[in-house]
Each structure stands twice: as structure tokens, then as C-alpha cells.
Amino acid sequence: MKKIFFLLLPVLFTLQLEAQTSPIKDTATTGKITIYQDSRMDALVKKEIESNEIYMLGPKLAKGYRLMLLNTNNRSAAMNLRAQLLKRYPDQKVYMSYQPPYIKIKFGNFADEEEAEKFKKEIIKVKIVTNNIYVLPEIVETKPDKDTPQETE
């Protein structure tokens, strides 16, 4: 009896597989879709593509300069200076780091020392920080121009 069962099992399994195929074919072969959308969507998509291209290029790292503006253990003074810098120079980056017990504030991503010196004089002139501003050589972020062709690796 066991032998007959084991011999018929593959036959029944094969019949079960045949039952899964369907002779009915899909009849929906053609169709028409009409999309109504706001014309501003095209402008938004274009802007998003440009933004993604700039993002994909990303910031490059290069040798440059930053200004060391503050090295203190007074957190409120550091936050006040940071707020003033962000308000006055929104296009420049402010770097705030904590190395116990001091808070350090560095400012800018300058490609050359002359540009850093120019900002140093301006910060002293408007009296955000009046003394002890140092120009430090560091690895800084450079923004790629979307008009210049980029190297592909």
C-alpha cells in the first residue's frame, strides 16, 4: 500500500500543477490615459532636478582658511555670538565645537587668506568681536559652480 501511495504521489502532484495554468488570457491590451496637472508642476520638477544636480556634485574639500572668533567657557556668550554671525552673514557657515571646558567658534570657508582677512576686518569694524580673531589654515568646504563642467570619475 505504501509503495502505491508513493508511486501515485508524483502523478497527483503533476496534475495539481496543471490545474494552476489558466487558459484565459488578458483582454486589456490597449488603453488611453489622460493626465490633467497644474502647469506649475513642470516648473517644480525642473527646480528639483537642478537642486539634485547641485546636491550630487556636493561640497568639495580643499585647503583654505577659517576665522577663530571665540574660545570661551561661557555658553551664553558663544550662543549670542553665533546668533549674531548667522544673522549678519547668512551665506557663511559658523562652526561651533565643544572641547571641554571650552566652546570654540570658527567662521567661514575661505579659499584664500586675503578673503579671510577681509572678513576679519569687517567683523572688527562692526564690533561683533573686537579682538583676538585668528586666521587658521584648515580643510574647508568649497561650493561647486553649476556653470563650470565637473570632472567625472
Side-chain angles (χ1 to χ4, degrees):
M1 183 71 172
K2 287 184 182 180
K3 289 181 182 181
I4 294 173
F5 178 71
F6 284 118
L7 289 174
L8 289 177
L9 185 64
V11 173
L12 293 173
F13 185 69
T14 307
L15 290 175
Q16 179 66 25
L17 289 176
E18 287 293 323
Q20 297 298 319
T21 60
S22 174
I24 301 172
K25 296 195 178 200
D26 191 12
T27 58
T29 56
T30 61
K32 184 177 179 183
I33 297 175
T34 305
I35 299 174
Y36 299 101
Q37 73 177 22
D38 193 349
S39 61
R40 294 177 291 177
M41 290 298 290
D42 294 329
L44 182 63
V45 168
K46 185 178 178 184
K47 201 169 253 218
E48 185 70 24
I49 289 170
E50 289 174 1
S51 174
N52 286 341
E53 286 174 353
I54 292 172
Y55 176 75
M56 292 305 287
L57 294 175
K60 304 269 186 204
L61 299 178
K63 290 183 180 179
Y65 298 90
R66 286 198 182 118
L67 298 177
M68 170 68 95
L69 299 178
L70 186 66
N71 187 16
T72 184
N73 56 3
N74 185 349
R75 184 176 185 274
S76 63
M79 294 302 284
N80 185 27
L81 175 62
R82 180 178 178 269
Q84 287 178 13
L85 290 169
L86 288 172
K87 186 176 180 181
R88 182 142 179 108
Y89 306 103
D91 55 331
Q92 291 291 334
K93 282 196 167 185
V94 178
Y95 297 91
M96 188 170 173
S97 63
Y98 180 67
Q99 294 176 345
Y102 297 107
I103 298 170
K104 296 182 179 185
I105 294 189
K106 296 178 185 176
F107 175 75
N109 289 315
F110 305 113
D112 53 23
E113 195 170 359
E114 291 81 27
E115 186 181 4
E117 286 290 339
K118 182 185 93 172
F119 269 91
K120 176 182 174 180
K121 289 176 184 174
E122 185 176 335
I123 289 171
I124 291 173
K125 182 179 175 184
V126 295
K127 297 184 180 180
I128 294 175
V129 177
T130 55
N131 57 0
N132 297 334
I133 299 177
Y134 303 104
V135 177
L136 301 176
E138 287 197 13
I139 303 297
V140 298
E141 296 176 3
T142 59
K143 293 181 183 175
D145 294 331
K146 65 178 180 179
D147 298 334
T148 59
Q150 298 291 322
E151 296 177 14
T152 55
E153 296 177 10

